[in-house]
Amino acid sequence: MEVSPLTQQARPSSFQPKIIGLYDDLFKQDDDDLAYSDAFWGEFFLLRPDKAGLEQRLDGLITDDLLHLQHETRQLFVRAVSQVKHGRAPSDENALDTLTVFLGIILTKRYTNPSADIITVLAGLDEVDAVFSEFANAIESIIRTGRSAEIRSKAIDVALSLTSGAYQTSLVSYFAHRDLFPALIKSIQDSDNPELVFKPFLLLGLLANYNKFEFRNPYRLRLEDFVNESAIQKIAQGIGFACSQSRHLYVAIQEDVAEGWTVGSTLAYIGLGVLAPSKGAAPAQPKADDIKEGFAVLPNPGAAVLLGVYDFTIANKVFCSNLVSCTSTSKMVEAPFCAFLSYTSYLVHHAYRSPRATIYGLLNFMILRIIIEDLALCKVLCDPETLVSVRLCRQRQPLLPATPKSRPAAAPILDILVDSINHNLRRHLDIPLYISCIGLIHRLLSYLSFTRTRLTYHWSLLWQTLLSFLRFLTTYAPSLTVQDPDLPLLINPFLTTLALAVTSGESFLPDPAAYDDLFYKLVEAGDYLSRFKKAFRMYLTHPSEPIGVTSNVPSTAPIDILIQVAAHYHDLVEAENGKGRMGNNMSPREVSKVIRQGYNTLSLPAMEGLDRWDRFREGDERGMLKRVARVAVEDTKKLLRAS
């Protein structure tokens, strides 16, 4: 008996989107090299892509599978490019979304011969130039003249997928050797939201770094000549927004409002009082293990944007000036440089937790070094009339002092450096991080001394930190001396920084008491100074000599100045004790009095070169910058997958 057409049929257990079926048809494992029809591709790109479904199917294919499916993968790539080129909605947008997922996964597979195999999968050796030129032209055209900000953003996603996925292959050269700079800048200028600056700026950073030590990168050359201040200010605001967002992720794991403060007062302190929460029950404190796990995965992949910040900073003084001086757009947001400093504080506070955190912390220190070495910008940082408020990390002991008042930017920078020294001490010391830290302190003190600028700062904390670091180095000298060939690059600038403070402190410290405190702490460290000299004798040089070169002319090394000063005051204190007036244990006030009186009899040798430092040269950091680029590329891949 025939079944009536009106008879109810059993419902399927689940409904599968039509596009998923097309994915399955396309990537089925068989030996037939089918040429899919125009109708198939027309339907394929009219349907909204299922990104999760496409990811799942591509993730399940190994490289041998992809090479076997090269006929299908080439058709998908060429047809998607054709849809983008013709610009008909919604097929072009769907094609862009498909390309972002497709390239983001295909290009990150582990191939035996990456460049050749990727070319095989996407175009074939005979067609690669034509196919990839058409692809690059289509994406560039959308970024330049796309009908909306949304479709331009999708095109940037595709370019990021190619750039990050094939960074070490020749395919990136199809974008790296063409001039996308004006299109990306236009995309930035057309954005009304600082959040929309992120992707085009990130792409600029990746393109500007591509093989820049091997050829004259056109994006780097563009950066050097770029003077459009309205675009630069939008970039600065976008950087500030990205840094604030990344900083918030640290605070979300562990709130670090200063004792005696409230969330509301802290928000008010940084100009965000309107965001203060209403009063209520105190939130539950997270567990120690949860905090540790949370910090271990930070910084978030958005830190990749710092690569572009570095490239703009090294190449463009107009950008540096705007980054430092750009004000906030409203009371609800931080000034860009304040947000950058705040994020740097959280990065280096936790730098020891992962190589990624350390690398990004070092990158930000490079950015600060370039800024500080510019005398005009350093003047702004130290200007007592130019005050800023920076939220600094206070998530682990010892805590930085709570400073609710605005200060010159040099003060929070010194706080960041002090905090970095205190929270990354390990037996296996991260020498490059500490070289950068001490170098920045030395440059700031050199500027203050040279210009006789008196900076209000809790100097006692700096002296305490530096001399505690000296004790640490002395204690662990046996393991350090065999650890790193760059140790002299830390030891000598460190001693030079201390000697500069001792010989020139009166020119930049705010009052005599601050200078007395430096000598007081030096006297306390007297025994360690002699032990330090004995432990690191092989590395010590005069500041006017190159590292590793010993002059035949006798000279006084910085360590000798420190030992001489400590011995001078030690003898005076012992003599005062011997008079029997004050007893055997002198109070700190009595010792300070002896120190002040001892200035009259203190004789320091003339010492040149204590305020000298070498200017930043990018070539010296080639290895480090290549590591940063690799980390930024991996983070960009994570960003694209997450979105």
Side-chain angles (χ1 to χ4, degrees):
M1 187 172 81
E2 293 185 1
V3 177
S4 167
L6 299 179
T7 301
Q8 184 174 6
Q9 304 294 312
R11 294 172 62 89
S13 59
S14 63
F15 289 97
Q16 177 178 274
K18 181 65 179 294
I19 189 64
I20 293 294
L22 297 183
Y23 294 156
D24 290 336
D25 289 342
L26 184 63
F27 296 122
K28 61 176 179 262
Q29 300 276 359
D30 56 34
D31 295 326
D32 297 328
D33 292 336
L34 299 177
Y36 291 85
S37 66
D38 291 342
F40 174 88
W41 292 114
E43 184 178 28
F44 189 98
F45 289 111
L46 275 174
L47 296 171
R48 183 185 297 275
D50 187 312
K51 296 182 181 181
L54 183 55
E55 281 184 4
Q56 181 182 1
R57 281 148 184 79
L58 292 173
D59 278 336
L61 300 174
I62 62 175
T63 53
D64 286 344
D65 296 334
L66 290 172
L67 291 170
H68 178 71
L69 288 168
Q70 61 184 264
H71 188 75
E72 288 76 13
T73 54
R74 289 180 192 177
Q75 288 185 74
L76 172 59
F77 184 66
V78 170
R79 291 285 188 158
V81 171
S82 177
Q83 294 292 339
V84 172
K85 181 180 177 181
H86 289 135
R88 288 191 291 268
S91 295
D92 56 349
E93 295 184 44
N94 292 338
L96 289 170
D97 286 337
T98 301
L99 281 171
T100 299
V101 176
F102 177 69
L103 291 175
I105 297 176
I106 293 293
L107 298 177
T108 56
K109 300 283 186 178
R110 293 185 177 275
Y111 297 92
T112 304
N113 302 296
S115 286
D117 288 348
I118 289 173
I119 288 172
T120 298
V121 169
L122 294 181
L125 188 60
D126 294 336
E127 301 292 332
V128 64
D129 285 332
V131 170
F132 259 83
S133 292
E134 185 173 4
F135 166 65
N137 289 336
I139 297 302
E140 180 180 358
S141 176
I142 294 293
I143 294 175
R144 285 181 184 275
T145 60
R147 60 179 175 270
S148 67
E150 182 180 4
I151 196 170
R152 292 196 296 271
S153 178
K154 290 178 183 290
I156 290 172
D157 282 346
V158 175
L160 282 170
S161 293
L162 173 71
T163 306
S164 61
Y167 202 67
Q168 303 302 325
T169 74
S170 59
L171 296 184
V172 182
S173 64
Y174 286 89
F175 279 129
H177 287 86
R178 65 177 53 234
D179 194 3
L180 274 177
F181 189 89
L184 292 172
I185 292 299
K186 181 177 182 294
S187 179
I188 289 171
Q189 284 188 292
D190 288 347
S191 61
D192 297 324
N193 186 334
E195 187 175 3
L196 301 180
V197 172
F198 181 87
K199 286 182 180 178
F201 186 76
L202 175 60
L203 180 57
L204 273 178
L206 293 175
L207 291 173
N209 272 273
Y210 176 71
N211 283 351
K212 69 178 177 182
F213 294 109
E214 283 73 37
F215 80 108
R216 288 179 63 79
N217 186 298
Y219 294 91
R220 180 59 176 272
L221 297 176
R222 278 285 202 166
L223 290 181
E224 294 172 359
D225 298 329
F226 188 54
V227 292
N228 185 330
E229 287 209 44
S230 64
I232 287 174
Q233 288 174 5
K234 279 206 169 185
I235 290 172
Q237 298 294 346
I239 291 168
F241 179 85
C243 288
S244 294
Q245 293 296 102
S246 295
R247 189 267 320 281
H248 292 337
L249 297 176
Y250 284 92
V251 178
I253 293 171
Q254 181 184 350
E255 180 58 74
D256 58 346
V257 177
E259 267 185 55
W261 291 18
T262 64
V263 174
S265 66
T266 306
L267 288 170
Y269 154 56
I270 61 173
L272 303 177
V274 295
L275 302 181
S278 57
K279 293 183 179 180
Q285 294 299 312
K287 296 179 180 179
D289 288 344
D290 294 337
I291 291 176
K292 184 178 179 180
E293 291 176 7
F295 285 139
V297 299
L298 295 179
N300 67 313
V305 76
L306 297 173
L307 183 64
V309 180
Y310 164 80
D311 276 289
F312 266 80
T313 303
I314 186 66
N316 193 296
K317 288 191 174 183
V318 178
F319 171 80
C320 292
S321 178
N322 276 274
L323 178 63
V324 170
S325 61
C326 195
T327 58
S328 60
T329 54
S330 73
K331 292 183 178 181
M332 296 181 65
V333 298
E334 298 163 274
F337 193 57
C338 294
F340 172 79
L341 291 180
S342 180
Y343 185 32
T344 303
S345 172
Y346 284 80
L347 269 176
V348 297
H349 186 91
H350 297 282
Y352 70 95
R353 294 185 185 272
S354 71
R356 282 182 63 255
T358 301
I359 282 176
Y360 281 124
L362 279 168
L363 182 65
N364 278 17
F365 278 173
M366 284 187 192
I367 294 168
L368 286 176
R369 176 178 171 181
I370 294 164
I371 290 172
I372 290 170
E373 287 182 1
D374 186 308
L375 293 181
L377 295 179
C378 198
K379 180 179 180 181
V380 175
L381 301 182
C382 300
D383 186 356
E385 301 299 321
T386 305
L387 306 180
V388 298
S389 297
V390 178
R391 175 170 183 164
L392 300 174
C393 185
R394 305 178 79 254
Q395 292 178 318
R396 291 174 59 243
Q397 296 284 351
L399 302 179
L400 287 169
T403 51
K405 292 184 178 179
S406 298
R407 302 178 289 168
I413 291 174
L414 284 172
D415 274 345
I416 291 168
L417 299 172
V418 163
D419 203 49
S420 182
I421 291 173
N422 286 332
H423 287 108
N424 293 284
L425 289 175
R426 298 291 183 274
R427 184 186 294 267
H428 296 288
L429 198 66
D430 192 316
I431 301 296
L433 183 68
Y434 280 85
I435 290 173
S436 295
C437 236
I438 298 301
L440 290 173
I441 294 172
H442 181 227
R443 283 159 176 77
L444 281 173
L445 296 192
S446 296
Y447 176 84
L448 294 172
S449 172
F450 174 72
T451 59
R452 305 188 72 81
T453 301
R454 299 192 181 278
L455 180 68
T456 300
Y457 180 67
H458 27 256
W459 291 103
S460 180
L461 176 62
L462 177 61
W463 311 141
Q464 175 184 331
T465 299
L466 292 177
L467 291 168
S468 294
F469 185 49
L470 181 139
R471 293 185 180 96
F472 174 89
L473 293 173
T474 306
T475 301
Y476 293 102
S479 59
L480 290 170
T481 51
V482 297
Q483 178 179 321
D484 197 308
D486 289 335
L487 190 60
L489 300 176
L490 170 63
I491 296 299
N492 288 288
F494 171 62
L495 294 173
T496 299
T497 301
L498 279 173
L500 174 65
V502 167
T503 57
S504 305
E506 62 181 348
S507 64
F508 62 83
L509 292 172
D511 51 55
Y515 203 29
D516 296 345
D517 183 64
L518 170 59
F519 285 99
Y520 184 92
K521 287 181 169 54
L522 199 62
V523 173
E524 288 184 318
D527 181 53
Y528 277 94
L529 291 169
S530 299
R531 290 168 55 190
F532 185 96
K533 180 178 180 180
K534 182 179 179 181
F536 297 102
R537 183 184 299 274
M538 69 186 79
Y539 298 128
L540 302 180
T541 65
H542 188 276
S544 61
E545 299 169 351
I547 299 293
V549 176
T550 304
S551 172
N552 293 325
V553 180
S555 63
T556 304
I559 187 64
D560 295 320
I561 290 182
L562 300 174
I563 290 173
Q564 180 179 334
V565 171
H568 171 75
Y569 284 111
H570 180 269
D571 291 344
L572 290 179
V573 171
E574 288 297 309
E576 197 66 32
N577 267 331
K579 294 179 181 179
R581 289 200 309 267
M582 300 182 179
N584 293 326
N585 296 316
M586 297 177 64
S587 68
R589 179 177 296 180
E590 291 166 341
V591 174
S592 296
K593 182 179 180 181
V594 173
I595 287 173
R596 284 194 296 274
Q597 294 171 344
Y599 291 152
N600 298 327
T601 55
L602 176 63
S603 177
L604 293 176
M607 188 104 181
E608 296 184 356
L610 290 176
D611 59 351
R612 293 177 187 168
W613 38 261
D614 295 328
R615 294 194 69 83
F616 180 80
R617 293 187 302 179
E618 190 173 43
D620 294 341
E621 304 293 343
R622 177 180 303 194
M624 166 61 187
L625 290 170
K626 287 187 174 183
R627 289 196 297 275
V628 173
R630 286 194 292 270
V631 172
V633 164
E634 292 301 316
D635 281 344
T636 302
K637 295 176 189 176
K638 294 175 185 175
L639 283 171
L640 291 169
R641 291 293 291 268
S643 65

CSV table of all heavy atoms in Angstrom, one decimal, residues 495-526:
chain,number,residue,atom,x,y,z
A,495,LEU,N,76.9,49.5,38.7
A,495,LEU,CA,77.8,50.2,39.6
A,495,LEU,C,77.9,51.7,39.2
A,495,LEU,O,78.0,52.6,40.0
A,495,LEU,CB,79.2,49.6,39.5
A,495,LEU,CG,79.3,48.1,40.1
A,495,LEU,CD1,80.7,47.5,39.9
A,495,LEU,CD2,79.0,48.2,41.6
A,496,THR,N,77.9,51.9,37.9
A,496,THR,CA,78.0,53.3,37.4
A,496,THR,C,76.8,54.1,37.8
A,496,THR,O,76.9,55.3,38.2
A,496,THR,CB,78.1,53.3,35.8
A,496,THR,OG1,79.3,52.6,35.4
A,496,THR,CG2,78.1,54.7,35.3
A,497,THR,N,75.6,53.5,37.8
A,497,THR,CA,74.4,54.2,38.3
A,497,THR,C,74.5,54.5,39.7
A,497,THR,O,74.1,55.7,40.1
A,497,THR,CB,73.2,53.2,38.0
A,497,THR,OG1,73.1,52.9,36.7
A,497,THR,CG2,71.9,53.9,38.5
A,498,LEU,N,75.0,53.6,40.6
A,498,LEU,CA,75.1,53.9,42.0
A,498,LEU,C,76.2,55.0,42.2
A,498,LEU,O,76.0,56.0,43.0
A,498,LEU,CB,75.6,52.7,42.7
A,498,LEU,CG,74.4,51.7,43.1
A,498,LEU,CD1,75.0,50.4,43.7
A,498,LEU,CD2,73.5,52.3,44.1
A,499,ALA,N,77.3,54.9,41.5
A,499,ALA,CA,78.3,55.9,41.6
A,499,ALA,C,77.9,57.3,41.2
A,499,ALA,O,78.2,58.3,41.8
A,499,ALA,CB,79.6,55.5,40.9
A,500,LEU,N,77.1,57.3,40.1
A,500,LEU,CA,76.5,58.6,39.6
A,500,LEU,C,75.6,59.2,40.7
A,500,LEU,O,75.7,60.5,40.9
A,500,LEU,CB,75.7,58.4,38.3
A,500,LEU,CG,75.0,59.6,37.8
A,500,LEU,CD1,75.9,60.6,37.3
A,500,LEU,CD2,74.1,59.1,36.6
A,501,ALA,N,74.8,58.4,41.3
A,501,ALA,CA,73.9,58.9,42.4
A,501,ALA,C,74.7,59.5,43.5
A,501,ALA,O,74.4,60.6,44.1
A,501,ALA,CB,73.0,57.8,42.9
A,502,VAL,N,75.8,58.8,43.9
A,502,VAL,CA,76.6,59.2,45.1
A,502,VAL,C,77.4,60.5,44.7
A,502,VAL,O,77.4,61.5,45.6
A,502,VAL,CB,77.6,58.1,45.4
A,502,VAL,CG1,78.7,58.7,46.4
A,502,VAL,CG2,76.9,57.0,46.1
A,503,THR,N,77.9,60.7,43.5
A,503,THR,CA,78.7,61.8,43.2
A,503,THR,C,77.9,63.0,42.7
A,503,THR,O,78.4,64.2,42.8
A,503,THR,CB,79.7,61.5,42.1
A,503,THR,OG1,79.0,61.0,40.9
A,503,THR,CG2,80.7,60.4,42.6
A,504,SER,N,76.7,62.8,42.2
A,504,SER,CA,75.9,63.9,41.6
A,504,SER,C,74.5,64.0,42.2
A,504,SER,O,73.7,64.8,41.7
A,504,SER,CB,75.7,63.7,40.1
A,504,SER,OG,77.0,63.5,39.5
A,505,GLY,N,74.2,63.3,43.3
A,505,GLY,CA,72.9,63.3,43.8
A,505,GLY,C,72.4,64.7,44.3
A,505,GLY,O,71.2,65.0,44.2
A,506,GLU,N,73.3,65.5,44.7
A,506,GLU,CA,72.9,66.8,45.2
A,506,GLU,C,72.3,67.7,44.1
A,506,GLU,O,71.6,68.7,44.4
A,506,GLU,CB,74.1,67.6,45.8
A,506,GLU,CG,75.2,67.8,44.9
A,506,GLU,CD,76.4,68.5,45.6
A,506,GLU,OE1,76.2,68.9,46.7
A,506,GLU,OE2,77.5,68.6,44.9
A,507,SER,N,72.6,67.3,42.8
A,507,SER,CA,72.1,68.1,41.7
A,507,SER,C,70.6,67.8,41.3
A,507,SER,O,70.0,68.6,40.6
A,507,SER,CB,73.0,67.9,40.5
A,507,SER,OG,73.0,66.6,40.0
A,508,PHE,N,70.1,66.6,41.8
A,508,PHE,CA,68.8,66.3,41.4
A,508,PHE,C,67.9,65.8,42.5
A,508,PHE,O,66.7,65.8,42.3
A,508,PHE,CB,68.8,65.2,40.3
A,508,PHE,CG,69.4,63.9,40.7
A,508,PHE,CD1,68.6,62.9,41.4
A,508,PHE,CD2,70.7,63.6,40.4
A,508,PHE,CE1,69.2,61.7,41.8
A,508,PHE,CE2,71.3,62.4,40.7
A,508,PHE,CZ,70.5,61.4,41.4
A,509,LEU,N,68.4,65.5,43.7
A,509,LEU,CA,67.6,65.2,44.8
A,509,LEU,C,66.9,66.4,45.4
A,509,LEU,O,67.5,67.5,45.4
A,509,LEU,CB,68.5,64.5,45.9
A,509,LEU,CG,69.0,63.1,45.4
A,509,LEU,CD1,70.0,62.5,46.5
A,509,LEU,CD2,67.9,62.1,45.2
A,510,PRO,N,65.7,66.3,45.9
A,510,PRO,CA,64.9,67.4,46.3
A,510,PRO,C,65.4,68.2,47.5
A,510,PRO,O,65.1,69.4,47.7
A,510,PRO,CB,63.5,66.9,46.5
A,510,PRO,CG,63.7,65.4,46.8
A,510,PRO,CD,64.9,65.0,46.0
A,511,ASP,N,66.1,67.5,48.4
A,511,ASP,CA,66.6,68.1,49.6
A,511,ASP,C,67.8,67.4,50.2
A,511,ASP,O,68.0,66.2,49.8
A,511,ASP,CB,65.4,68.2,50.7
A,511,ASP,CG,64.8,66.8,50.9
A,511,ASP,OD1,65.5,65.8,51.2
A,511,ASP,OD2,63.5,66.7,50.7
A,512,PRO,N,68.5,68.0,51.2
A,512,PRO,CA,69.7,67.3,51.7
A,512,PRO,C,69.3,66.0,52.4
A,512,PRO,O,70.2,65.1,52.4
A,512,PRO,CB,70.2,68.3,52.7
A,512,PRO,CG,69.7,69.7,52.2
A,512,PRO,CD,68.4,69.4,51.6
A,513,ALA,N,68.2,65.9,53.0
A,513,ALA,CA,67.8,64.6,53.7
A,513,ALA,C,67.8,63.4,52.7
A,513,ALA,O,68.2,62.3,53.1
A,513,ALA,CB,66.4,64.8,54.3
A,514,ALA,N,67.4,63.6,51.5
A,514,ALA,CA,67.4,62.6,50.5
A,514,ALA,C,68.8,62.1,50.2
A,514,ALA,O,69.0,60.9,50.0
A,514,ALA,CB,66.6,63.0,49.3
A,515,TYR,N,69.7,63.1,50.2
A,515,TYR,CA,71.1,62.8,49.9
A,515,TYR,C,71.7,62.1,51.1
A,515,TYR,O,72.5,61.1,50.9
A,515,TYR,CB,71.8,64.1,49.6
A,515,TYR,CG,73.1,63.9,48.8
A,515,TYR,CD1,73.3,62.9,47.9
A,515,TYR,CD2,74.1,64.9,48.9
A,515,TYR,CE1,74.4,62.8,47.1
A,515,TYR,CE2,75.3,64.8,48.1
A,515,TYR,CZ,75.4,63.7,47.2
A,515,TYR,OH,76.6,63.6,46.5
A,516,ASP,N,71.4,62.5,52.3
A,516,ASP,CA,71.9,61.8,53.5
A,516,ASP,C,71.5,60.4,53.5
A,516,ASP,O,72.2,59.5,53.9
A,516,ASP,CB,71.3,62.5,54.8
A,516,ASP,CG,71.8,64.0,54.9
A,516,ASP,OD1,72.8,64.3,54.2
A,516,ASP,OD2,71.2,64.7,55.7
A,517,ASP,N,70.2,60.1,53.1
A,517,ASP,CA,69.7,58.8,53.1
A,517,ASP,C,70.5,57.8,52.2
A,517,ASP,O,70.7,56.7,52.5
A,517,ASP,CB,68.2,58.8,52.7
A,517,ASP,CG,67.6,57.4,52.8
A,517,ASP,OD1,67.5,56.9,53.9
A,517,ASP,OD2,67.1,56.9,51.8
A,518,LEU,N,70.9,58.4,51.1
A,518,LEU,CA,71.7,57.6,50.1
A,518,LEU,C,73.0,57.1,50.8
A,518,LEU,O,73.4,55.9,50.8
A,518,LEU,CB,72.0,58.4,48.9
A,518,LEU,CG,73.0,57.8,47.9
A,518,LEU,CD1,72.6,56.4,47.4
A,518,LEU,CD2,73.2,58.7,46.7
A,519,PHE,N,73.7,58.1,51.4
A,519,PHE,CA,74.9,57.7,52.1
A,519,PHE,C,74.7,56.8,53.3
A,519,PHE,O,75.5,55.9,53.5
A,519,PHE,CB,75.6,59.0,52.6
A,519,PHE,CG,76.3,59.8,51.5
A,519,PHE,CD1,75.6,60.9,50.9
A,519,PHE,CD2,77.5,59.4,51.0
A,519,PHE,CE1,76.2,61.6,49.9
A,519,PHE,CE2,78.1,60.1,50.0
A,519,PHE,CZ,77.5,61.2,49.4
A,520,TYR,N,73.6,57.0,54.0
A,520,TYR,CA,73.3,56.1,55.1
A,520,TYR,C,73.1,54.7,54.7
A,520,TYR,O,73.7,53.7,55.3
A,520,TYR,CB,72.0,56.6,55.8
A,520,TYR,CG,71.6,55.8,57.0
A,520,TYR,CD1,72.0,56.3,58.3
A,520,TYR,CD2,70.8,54.7,56.9
A,520,TYR,CE1,71.6,55.6,59.4
A,520,TYR,CE2,70.4,54.0,58.1
A,520,TYR,CZ,70.8,54.4,59.3
A,520,TYR,OH,70.5,53.7,60.4
A,521,LYS,N,72.4,54.5,53.6
A,521,LYS,CA,72.2,53.1,53.0
A,521,LYS,C,73.5,52.5,52.5
A,521,LYS,O,73.7,51.3,52.5
A,521,LYS,CB,71.1,53.1,52.0
A,521,LYS,CG,69.7,53.3,52.6
A,521,LYS,CD,68.6,53.3,51.6
A,521,LYS,CE,67.2,53.2,52.2
A,521,LYS,NZ,66.9,54.2,53.2
A,522,LEU,N,74.3,53.4,51.9
A,522,LEU,CA,75.6,52.9,51.4
A,522,LEU,C,76.5,52.4,52.5
A,522,LEU,O,77.2,51.4,52.4
A,522,LEU,CB,76.3,54.0,50.6
A,522,LEU,CG,77.4,53.6,49.6
A,522,LEU,CD1,76.8,52.8,48.6
A,522,LEU,CD2,78.0,54.9,49.0
A,523,VAL,N,76.5,53.1,53.7
A,523,VAL,CA,77.3,52.7,54.8
A,523,VAL,C,76.8,51.3,55.3
A,523,VAL,O,77.6,50.4,55.6
A,523,VAL,CB,77.2,53.7,56.0
A,523,VAL,CG1,77.8,53.2,57.2
A,523,VAL,CG2,77.8,55.0,55.5
A,524,GLU,N,75.5,51.1,55.3
A,524,GLU,CA,74.9,49.9,55.7
A,524,GLU,C,75.3,48.7,54.8
A,524,GLU,O,75.5,47.6,55.3
A,524,GLU,CB,73.4,49.9,55.7
A,524,GLU,CG,72.8,50.8,56.8
A,524,GLU,CD,71.2,50.7,56.8
A,524,GLU,OE1,70.7,50.8,55.7
A,524,GLU,OE2,70.6,50.6,57.9
A,525,ALA,N,75.6,49.0,53.6
A,525,ALA,CA,76.0,48.0,52.6
A,525,ALA,C,77.5,47.8,52.5
A,525,ALA,O,78.0,47.1,51.6
A,525,ALA,CB,75.4,48.3,51.2
A,526,GLY,N,78.2,48.5,53.4
A,526,GLY,CA,79.7,48.6,53.2
A,526,GLY,C,80.4,47.2,53.0
A,526,GLY,O,81.2,47.0,52.1
